[in-house]
PDB file of all heavy atoms in Angstrom:
ATOM      1  N   VAL B  24     -24.906  85.578 -57.505  1.00 90.00           N
ATOM      2  CA  VAL B  24     -25.904  85.054 -56.589  1.00 90.00           C
ATOM      3  C   VAL B  24     -25.317  84.015 -55.718  1.00 90.00           C
ATOM      4  O   VAL B  24     -25.507  83.878 -54.472  1.00 90.00           O
ATOM      5  CB  VAL B  24     -27.158  84.646 -57.262  1.00 90.00           C
ATOM      6  CG1 VAL B  24     -28.132  84.116 -56.132  1.00 90.00           C
ATOM      7  CG2 VAL B  24     -27.738  85.806 -57.967  1.00 90.00           C
ATOM      8  N   ILE B  25     -24.600  83.074 -56.344  1.00 90.00           N
ATOM      9  CA  ILE B  25     -24.198  81.946 -55.587  1.00 90.00           C
ATOM     10  C   ILE B  25     -23.133  82.265 -54.657  1.00 90.00           C
ATOM     11  O   ILE B  25     -23.032  81.815 -53.532  1.00 90.00           O
ATOM     12  CB  ILE B  25     -23.651  80.852 -56.727  1.00 90.00           C
ATOM     13  CG1 ILE B  25     -24.825  80.306 -57.549  1.00 90.00           C
ATOM     14  CG2 ILE B  25     -22.974  79.728 -56.098  1.00 90.00           C
ATOM     15  CD1 ILE B  25     -24.388  79.499 -58.633  1.00 90.00           C
ATOM     16  N   LYS B  26     -22.181  83.134 -55.040  1.00 91.00           N
ATOM     17  CA  LYS B  26     -21.074  83.345 -54.292  1.00 91.00           C
ATOM     18  C   LYS B  26     -21.434  84.464 -53.089  1.00 91.00           C
ATOM     19  O   LYS B  26     -20.819  84.605 -52.120  1.00 91.00           O
ATOM     20  CB  LYS B  26     -19.940  84.121 -55.107  1.00 91.00           C
ATOM     21  CG  LYS B  26     -19.142  83.062 -55.894  1.00 91.00           C
ATOM     22  CD  LYS B  26     -17.949  83.683 -56.457  1.00 91.00           C
ATOM     23  CE  LYS B  26     -17.084  82.369 -57.048  1.00 91.00           C
ATOM     24  NZ  LYS B  26     -15.749  83.083 -57.555  1.00 91.00           N
ATOM     25  N   ASN B  27     -22.368  85.229 -53.406  1.00 87.00           N
ATOM     26  CA  ASN B  27     -22.920  86.255 -52.490  1.00 87.00           C
ATOM     27  C   ASN B  27     -23.256  85.502 -51.167  1.00 87.00           C
ATOM     28  O   ASN B  27     -23.742  84.466 -51.217  1.00 87.00           O
ATOM     29  CB  ASN B  27     -24.099  86.907 -53.087  1.00 87.00           C
ATOM     30  CG  ASN B  27     -24.438  88.188 -52.396  1.00 87.00           C
ATOM     31  OD1 ASN B  27     -23.600  88.665 -51.678  1.00 87.00           O
ATOM     32  ND2 ASN B  27     -25.627  88.657 -52.490  1.00 87.00           N
ATOM     33  N   ASP B  28     -22.986  86.062 -49.927  1.00 85.00           N
ATOM     34  CA  ASP B  28     -23.340  85.471 -48.809  1.00 85.00           C
ATOM     35  C   ASP B  28     -22.464  84.309 -48.302  1.00 85.00           C
ATOM     36  O   ASP B  28     -22.651  83.654 -47.422  1.00 85.00           O
ATOM     37  CB  ASP B  28     -24.867  84.920 -48.607  1.00 85.00           C
ATOM     38  CG  ASP B  28     -25.804  86.046 -48.901  1.00 85.00           C
ATOM     39  OD1 ASP B  28     -25.457  87.152 -48.540  1.00 85.00           O
ATOM     40  OD2 ASP B  28     -26.926  85.728 -49.370  1.00 85.00           O
ATOM     41  N   SER B  29     -21.474  83.973 -49.291  1.00 92.00           N
ATOM     42  CA  SER B  29     -20.622  82.861 -48.780  1.00 92.00           C
ATOM     43  C   SER B  29     -19.126  83.562 -48.615  1.00 92.00           C
ATOM     44  O   SER B  29     -18.732  84.282 -49.312  1.00 92.00           O
ATOM     45  CB  SER B  29     -20.369  81.840 -49.904  1.00 92.00           C
ATOM     46  OG  SER B  29     -21.615  81.159 -50.115  1.00 92.00           O
ATOM     47  N   PRO B  30     -18.559  83.049 -47.540  1.00 95.00           N
ATOM     48  CA  PRO B  30     -17.217  83.527 -47.325  1.00 95.00           C
ATOM     49  C   PRO B  30     -16.199  83.041 -48.326  1.00 95.00           C
ATOM     50  O   PRO B  30     -16.518  82.071 -49.016  1.00 95.00           O
ATOM     51  CB  PRO B  30     -16.835  82.960 -45.882  1.00 95.00           C
ATOM     52  CG  PRO B  30     -17.851  82.040 -45.468  1.00 95.00           C
ATOM     53  CD  PRO B  30     -18.968  82.115 -46.501  1.00 95.00           C
ATOM     54  N   ASP B  31     -15.123  83.714 -48.405  1.00 95.00           N
ATOM     55  CA  ASP B  31     -14.034  83.379 -49.546  1.00 95.00           C
ATOM     56  C   ASP B  31     -13.594  82.002 -49.494  1.00 95.00           C
ATOM     57  O   ASP B  31     -13.440  81.278 -50.452  1.00 95.00           O
ATOM     58  CB  ASP B  31     -12.826  84.277 -49.307  1.00 95.00           C
ATOM     59  CG  ASP B  31     -13.097  85.658 -49.906  1.00 95.00           C
ATOM     60  OD1 ASP B  31     -14.181  85.831 -50.372  1.00 95.00           O
ATOM     61  OD2 ASP B  31     -12.414  86.594 -49.555  1.00 95.00           O
ATOM     62  N   TYR B  32     -13.404  81.442 -48.192  1.00 96.00           N
ATOM     63  CA  TYR B  32     -12.839  80.028 -48.124  1.00 96.00           C
ATOM     64  C   TYR B  32     -13.821  79.045 -48.722  1.00 96.00           C
ATOM     65  O   TYR B  32     -13.404  77.996 -49.188  1.00 96.00           O
ATOM     66  CB  TYR B  32     -12.554  79.709 -46.578  1.00 96.00           C
ATOM     67  CG  TYR B  32     -13.578  79.500 -45.658  1.00 96.00           C
ATOM     68  CD1 TYR B  32     -14.146  78.267 -45.482  1.00 96.00           C
ATOM     69  CD2 TYR B  32     -14.213  80.563 -44.948  1.00 96.00           C
ATOM     70  CE1 TYR B  32     -15.126  78.108 -44.569  1.00 96.00           C
ATOM     71  CE2 TYR B  32     -15.181  80.430 -44.134  1.00 96.00           C
ATOM     72  CZ  TYR B  32     -15.613  79.186 -43.845  1.00 96.00           C
ATOM     73  OH  TYR B  32     -16.773  78.968 -43.056  1.00 96.00           O
ATOM     74  N   ILE B  33     -15.177  79.418 -48.655  1.00 96.00           N
ATOM     75  CA  ILE B  33     -16.072  78.642 -49.263  1.00 96.00           C
ATOM     76  C   ILE B  33     -16.113  78.675 -50.818  1.00 96.00           C
ATOM     77  O   ILE B  33     -16.122  77.623 -51.625  1.00 96.00           O
ATOM     78  CB  ILE B  33     -17.532  78.872 -48.696  1.00 96.00           C
ATOM     79  CG1 ILE B  33     -17.562  78.466 -47.290  1.00 96.00           C
ATOM     80  CG2 ILE B  33     -18.614  78.069 -49.515  1.00 96.00           C
ATOM     81  CD1 ILE B  33     -17.537  77.035 -46.884  1.00 96.00           C
ATOM     82  N   ASN B  34     -16.055  79.915 -51.168  1.00 95.00           N
ATOM     83  CA  ASN B  34     -16.117  80.224 -52.667  1.00 95.00           C
ATOM     84  C   ASN B  34     -14.770  79.542 -53.322  1.00 95.00           C
ATOM     85  O   ASN B  34     -14.811  79.170 -54.453  1.00 95.00           O
ATOM     86  CB  ASN B  34     -16.289  81.604 -52.957  1.00 95.00           C
ATOM     87  CG  ASN B  34     -17.635  82.109 -52.760  1.00 95.00           C
ATOM     88  OD1 ASN B  34     -18.529  81.344 -52.757  1.00 95.00           O
ATOM     89  ND2 ASN B  34     -17.790  83.413 -52.286  1.00 95.00           N
ATOM     90  N   LYS B  35     -13.700  79.409 -52.627  1.00 96.00           N
ATOM     91  CA  LYS B  35     -12.456  78.946 -53.150  1.00 96.00           C
ATOM     92  C   LYS B  35     -12.786  77.444 -53.468  1.00 96.00           C
ATOM     93  O   LYS B  35     -12.484  76.780 -54.455  1.00 96.00           O
ATOM     94  CB  LYS B  35     -11.276  79.035 -52.168  1.00 96.00           C
ATOM     95  CG  LYS B  35     -10.330  80.182 -52.605  1.00 96.00           C
ATOM     96  CD  LYS B  35      -9.099  80.143 -51.655  1.00 96.00           C
ATOM     97  CE  LYS B  35      -8.771  81.563 -51.437  1.00 96.00           C
ATOM     98  NZ  LYS B  35      -7.989  81.682 -50.235  1.00 96.00           N
ATOM     99  N   ILE B  36     -13.354  76.799 -52.446  1.00 96.00           N
ATOM    100  CA  ILE B  36     -13.714  75.310 -52.569  1.00 96.00           C
ATOM    101  C   ILE B  36     -14.744  75.184 -53.723  1.00 96.00           C
ATOM    102  O   ILE B  36     -14.676  74.304 -54.631  1.00 96.00           O
ATOM    103  CB  ILE B  36     -14.257  74.784 -51.247  1.00 96.00           C
ATOM    104  CG1 ILE B  36     -13.203  74.846 -50.254  1.00 96.00           C
ATOM    105  CG2 ILE B  36     -14.710  73.394 -51.486  1.00 96.00           C
ATOM    106  CD1 ILE B  36     -13.776  74.463 -48.765  1.00 96.00           C
ATOM    107  N   ARG B  37     -15.641  76.078 -53.901  1.00 95.00           N
ATOM    108  CA  ARG B  37     -16.676  76.063 -54.871  1.00 95.00           C
ATOM    109  C   ARG B  37     -16.031  76.096 -56.308  1.00 95.00           C
ATOM    110  O   ARG B  37     -16.375  75.431 -57.208  1.00 95.00           O
ATOM    111  CB  ARG B  37     -17.568  77.406 -54.590  1.00 95.00           C
ATOM    112  CG  ARG B  37     -18.857  77.421 -55.274  1.00 95.00           C
ATOM    113  CD  ARG B  37     -19.395  78.788 -55.112  1.00 95.00           C
ATOM    114  NE  ARG B  37     -19.879  79.255 -53.884  1.00 95.00           N
ATOM    115  CZ  ARG B  37     -20.913  78.672 -53.230  1.00 95.00           C
ATOM    116  NH1 ARG B  37     -21.696  77.761 -53.709  1.00 95.00           N
ATOM    117  NH2 ARG B  37     -21.322  79.180 -52.004  1.00 95.00           N
ATOM    118  N   GLU B  38     -15.025  76.988 -56.447  1.00 95.00           N
ATOM    119  CA  GLU B  38     -14.274  77.057 -57.712  1.00 95.00           C
ATOM    120  C   GLU B  38     -13.676  75.607 -58.131  1.00 95.00           C
ATOM    121  O   GLU B  38     -13.881  75.220 -59.344  1.00 95.00           O
ATOM    122  CB  GLU B  38     -13.193  78.124 -57.664  1.00 95.00           C
ATOM    123  CG  GLU B  38     -13.695  79.524 -57.623  1.00 95.00           C
ATOM    124  CD  GLU B  38     -14.383  79.958 -58.907  1.00 95.00           C
ATOM    125  OE1 GLU B  38     -14.170  79.311 -60.014  1.00 95.00           O
ATOM    126  OE2 GLU B  38     -15.097  81.034 -58.862  1.00 95.00           O
ATOM    127  N   LYS B  39     -13.005  75.121 -57.114  1.00 96.00           N
ATOM    128  CA  LYS B  39     -12.503  73.847 -57.394  1.00 96.00           C
ATOM    129  C   LYS B  39     -13.644  72.710 -57.651  1.00 96.00           C
ATOM    130  O   LYS B  39     -13.289  71.911 -58.544  1.00 96.00           O
ATOM    131  CB  LYS B  39     -11.637  73.351 -56.065  1.00 96.00           C
ATOM    132  CG  LYS B  39     -10.825  72.131 -56.323  1.00 96.00           C
ATOM    133  CD  LYS B  39     -10.075  71.895 -54.959  1.00 96.00           C
ATOM    134  CE  LYS B  39      -9.451  70.398 -55.102  1.00 96.00           C
ATOM    135  NZ  LYS B  39      -9.222  69.810 -53.772  1.00 96.00           N
ATOM    136  N   ALA B  40     -14.633  72.804 -57.056  1.00 96.00           N
ATOM    137  CA  ALA B  40     -15.785  71.969 -57.236  1.00 96.00           C
ATOM    138  C   ALA B  40     -16.297  71.939 -58.623  1.00 96.00           C
ATOM    139  O   ALA B  40     -16.496  70.884 -59.212  1.00 96.00           O
ATOM    140  CB  ALA B  40     -16.708  72.102 -56.160  1.00 96.00           C
ATOM    141  N   ILE B  41     -16.474  73.178 -59.046  1.00 96.00           N
ATOM    142  CA  ILE B  41     -17.154  73.267 -60.379  1.00 96.00           C
ATOM    143  C   ILE B  41     -16.241  72.733 -61.476  1.00 96.00           C
ATOM    144  O   ILE B  41     -16.563  72.109 -62.491  1.00 96.00           O
ATOM    145  CB  ILE B  41     -17.687  74.776 -60.643  1.00 96.00           C
ATOM    146  CG1 ILE B  41     -18.713  74.673 -61.846  1.00 96.00           C
ATOM    147  CG2 ILE B  41     -16.519  75.663 -60.927  1.00 96.00           C
ATOM    148  CD1 ILE B  41     -20.059  74.169 -61.458  1.00 96.00           C
ATOM    149  N   GLU B  42     -14.927  73.005 -61.304  1.00 96.00           N
ATOM    150  CA  GLU B  42     -13.930  72.459 -62.190  1.00 96.00           C
ATOM    151  C   GLU B  42     -13.957  70.865 -62.179  1.00 96.00           C
ATOM    152  O   GLU B  42     -14.013  70.256 -63.238  1.00 96.00           O
ATOM    153  CB  GLU B  42     -12.501  72.835 -61.694  1.00 96.00           C
ATOM    154  CG  GLU B  42     -11.840  73.783 -62.491  1.00 96.00           C
ATOM    155  CD  GLU B  42     -10.489  74.272 -61.858  1.00 96.00           C
ATOM    156  OE1 GLU B  42      -9.558  73.377 -61.780  1.00 96.00           O
ATOM    157  OE2 GLU B  42     -10.399  75.445 -61.495  1.00 96.00           O
ATOM    158  N   LEU B  43     -14.075  70.373 -60.934  1.00 96.00           N
ATOM    159  CA  LEU B  43     -14.049  68.892 -60.791  1.00 96.00           C
ATOM    160  C   LEU B  43     -15.371  68.368 -61.550  1.00 96.00           C
ATOM    161  O   LEU B  43     -15.339  67.300 -62.234  1.00 96.00           O
ATOM    162  CB  LEU B  43     -14.067  68.448 -59.343  1.00 96.00           C
ATOM    163  CG  LEU B  43     -12.604  68.457 -58.853  1.00 96.00           C
ATOM    164  CD1 LEU B  43     -12.742  68.278 -57.314  1.00 96.00           C
ATOM    165  CD2 LEU B  43     -11.916  67.210 -59.404  1.00 96.00           C
ATOM    166  N   PHE B  44     -16.454  69.074 -61.262  1.00 95.00           N
ATOM    167  CA  PHE B  44     -17.689  68.616 -61.955  1.00 95.00           C
ATOM    168  C   PHE B  44     -17.571  68.679 -63.452  1.00 95.00           C
ATOM    169  O   PHE B  44     -18.008  67.744 -64.092  1.00 95.00           O
ATOM    170  CB  PHE B  44     -18.959  69.380 -61.346  1.00 95.00           C
ATOM    171  CG  PHE B  44     -20.129  69.139 -62.171  1.00 95.00           C
ATOM    172  CD1 PHE B  44     -20.736  67.809 -61.894  1.00 95.00           C
ATOM    173  CD2 PHE B  44     -20.807  70.016 -63.036  1.00 95.00           C
ATOM    174  CE1 PHE B  44     -21.872  67.507 -62.664  1.00 95.00           C
ATOM    175  CE2 PHE B  44     -21.938  69.602 -63.671  1.00 95.00           C
ATOM    176  CZ  PHE B  44     -22.563  68.384 -63.498  1.00 95.00           C
TER     177      PHE B  44
END
Side-chain angles (χ1 to χ4, degrees):
Chain B
V24 178
I25 294 170
K26 285 190 167 179
N27 197 16
D28 303 332
S29 292
D31 285 348
Y32 70 94
I33 294 292
N34 285 332
K35 259 186 216 157
I36 297 172
R37 201 187 287 289
E38 291 292 344
K39 192 182 163 201
I41 198 74
E42 250 173 64
L43 278 168
F44 174 66

